[in-house]
Amino acid sequence: MKAIVFATNNKHKISEIQAILGDQFSIIPLSEIGCTEDIPETSLTIEGNAMQKATYVNEKYKVDCFADDTGLEVEALDGQPGVKSARYAGPGHDFDANVTKLLRELNGQLSRRARFKTVISLITSDNEMLFEGIINGIITAERRGNEGFGYDPVFIPDGYDKTFAEMPAELKNSISHRAIATRKLIKFLKENY
Ligand code: ITT
């Protein structure tokens, strides 16, 4: 089976993307190439951060790799937290504090519409590519469910009545922002890698 480095420190992303890749490609984690440091994410856009993470690993470790940058864009908050989704409530990547802040900011707002956007950047010796996945939905008033991670307990995708955290992982992994972007990555890798 072909293998490629996934430039992430987020274990949830690794298990979701490996589940979507199935037995077509396997992921080499950063620990296996000796990359244990925090990768800089200083861009003002999701696309820029995805490319920054993949470029960092490609240049420093001389490996083909891909990275995922994801943001939750909330209509009533002018697209926030967006590119700052991981650090919305402050540095430290605290999922729970981020969700608490989001629910507080949305208190009393008329629109609860939001979307998840994932951009996957791929860098190989022959190509630099971006693949996007977007899913629209609404933010609930309270947390619901224990599956998934991050903002999953408060996001209901359009066409469903459960949050991502109330769904079995197989369902989230078949419809999510990350699933849409990953399927585009798989198609490209199958044809070009
Ligand atoms: P990397 O090492 O890949 O950068 P990260 O956790 O810092 O991992 P991001 O910069 O892409 O990831 O930050 C996005 C944040 O948005 C992440 O910390 C989660 O809180 C949230 N998030 C990302 N994907 C999500 C998903 O599928 N469901 C719910 N929340 C998600």
Side-chain angles (χ1 to χ4, degrees), residues 10-22:
N10 183 323
K11 291 187 174 62
H12 302 280
K13 287 186 183 176
I14 294 185
S15 61
E16 284 192 7
I17 290 200
Q18 186 64 72
I20 300 162
L21 290 172

Side-chain angles (χ1 to χ4, degrees), residues 7-10 13 16 41 53 68-70 85-86 93 95 116 149-152 172 177-178:
T8 185
N9 289 309
N10 183 323
K13 287 186 183 176
E16 284 192 7
E41 286 183 58
K53 290 186 253 189
D68 160 321
D69 201 69
T70 296
S85 292
H93 291 232
F95 291 165
F116 270 118
F149 69 103
Y151 298 94
D152 283 346
K172 180 186 173 193
H177 43 299
R178 184 161 296 107

Side-chain angles (χ1 to χ4, degrees), residues 63-117:
V63 288
D64 294 348
C65 66
F66 70 93
D68 160 321
D69 201 69
T70 296
L72 177 68
E73 300 179 334
V74 180
E75 193 176 272
L77 305 178
D78 293 327
Q80 299 294 318
V83 71
K84 297 197 195 100
S85 292
R87 291 146 285 146
Y88 189 43
H93 291 232
D94 181 339
F95 291 165
D96 204 48
N98 288 339
V99 170
T100 299
K101 178 171 178 187
L102 176 66
L103 293 179
R104 195 177 59 232
E105 296 286 325
L106 276 181
N107 207 356
Q109 296 279 4
L110 289 180
S111 164
R112 302 190 72 93
R113 293 212 55 78
R115 64 182 202 169
F116 270 118
K117 173 170 156 179

